[in-house]
């Protein structure tokens, strides 16, 4: 996958995971995994038999995933295959029914560790909810203030992020004038 402004792009490997639209008839077996930080240091995400049921319906079955730090992964699959459910579990928005999951080296089953991870992870939903009547700079300032960041830090980060995402020439436009891709970049900066 390529991320950049089209002129000076940065190349990242893109891994694709295909999801099965069905689940096995049996719940997962328990797996004993090493939990030392040294073992997990190079992995951003590691799952073992990650499973989620909604009643009797199995939405995600036995997902085994290892994502190294500094790489991008894409989830591909038909509607109902479990892509969104998996993302919700990985970001701590939804608890798995079974299996193990480590994000940034932390066991997501531990409430304190999960909270720590959530402070370092963001999700950009398909249907963005930006304030259309704000410019990019105003929107990022609003988000920074919402997180109680110091004003100098907010200004500095905005000055770094707008050029990095190719939005420096567009910062005076209102968000409603942005293309869908530009809105995604703005959400990523936030």
């Amino acid at each position: 996958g390529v991320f950049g402004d089209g002129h000076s792009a940065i190349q990242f490997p893109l891994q694709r995971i295909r999801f099965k639209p069905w689940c096995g008839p049996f719940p997962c077996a328990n797996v004993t995994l090493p939990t030392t930080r040294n073992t997990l240091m190079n992995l951003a995400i590691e799952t073992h038999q990650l499973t989620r049921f909604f009643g009797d319906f199995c939405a995600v079955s036995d997902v085994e995933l290892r994502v190294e730090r500094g790489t991008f992964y894409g989830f591909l699959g038909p509607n109902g295959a479990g892509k969104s459910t998996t993302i919700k579990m990985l970001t701590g928005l939804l608890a798995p029914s079974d299996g193990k999951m480590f994000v940034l080296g932390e066991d997501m089953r531990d409430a304190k560790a999960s909270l720590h991870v959530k402070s370092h992870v963001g999700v950009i939903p398909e249907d963005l909810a930006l304030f259309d009547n704000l410019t990019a700079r105003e929107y990022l300032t609003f988000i920074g203030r919402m997180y109680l960041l110091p004003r100098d830090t907010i200004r500095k980060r905005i000055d770094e992020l707008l050029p990095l995402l190719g939005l420096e020439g567009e910062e005076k436009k209102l968000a409603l004038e942005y293309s869908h891709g530009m809105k995604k970049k703005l959400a990523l900066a936030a």
Side-chain angles (χ1 to χ4, degrees), residues 37-72:
R37 286 197 183 275
N38 291 339
T39 306
L40 302 173
M41 284 302 271
N42 292 328
L43 294 176
I45 300 170
E46 182 174 18
T47 69
H48 296 277
Q49 297 186 326
L50 189 63
T51 300
R52 176 60 194 208
F53 284 91
F54 293 99
D56 291 336
F57 176 73
C58 183
V60 175
S61 178
D62 299 325
V63 172
E64 298 283 335
L65 183 63
R66 292 173 63 96
V67 180
E68 290 186 25
R69 291 175 188 248
T71 61
F72 285 130

Side-chain angles (χ1 to χ4, degrees), residues 34-123:
T35 57
T36 61
R37 286 197 183 275
N38 291 339
T39 306
L40 302 173
M41 284 302 271
N42 292 328
L43 294 176
I45 300 170
E46 182 174 18
T47 69
H48 296 277
Q49 297 186 326
L50 189 63
T51 300
R52 176 60 194 208
F53 284 91
F54 293 99
D56 291 336
F57 176 73
C58 183
V60 175
S61 178
D62 299 325
V63 172
E64 298 283 335
L65 183 63
R66 292 173 63 96
V67 180
E68 290 186 25
R69 291 175 188 248
T71 61
F72 285 130
Y73 263 68
F75 288 176
L76 302 176
N79 290 344
K83 303 176 300 291
S84 295
T85 301
T86 301
I87 293 293
K88 287 176 184 174
M89 288 189 289
L90 291 173
T91 56
L93 297 174
L94 184 64
S97 301
D98 203 356
K100 296 187 180 187
M101 155 175 79
F102 299 87
V103 177
L104 303 176
E106 301 285 351
D107 186 342
M108 294 295 284
R109 294 171 301 171
D110 177 83
K112 190 173 184 179
S114 178
L115 188 59
H116 173 74
V117 168
K118 286 179 193 178
S119 70
H120 291 83
V121 174
V123 176

Side-chain angles (χ1 to χ4, degrees), residues 19-39:
F19 281 83
K20 301 180 284 186
W22 57 272
C23 295
F26 303 106
C28 296
N30 290 328
V31 178
T32 304
L33 298 174
T35 57
T36 61
R37 286 197 183 275
N38 291 339
T39 306

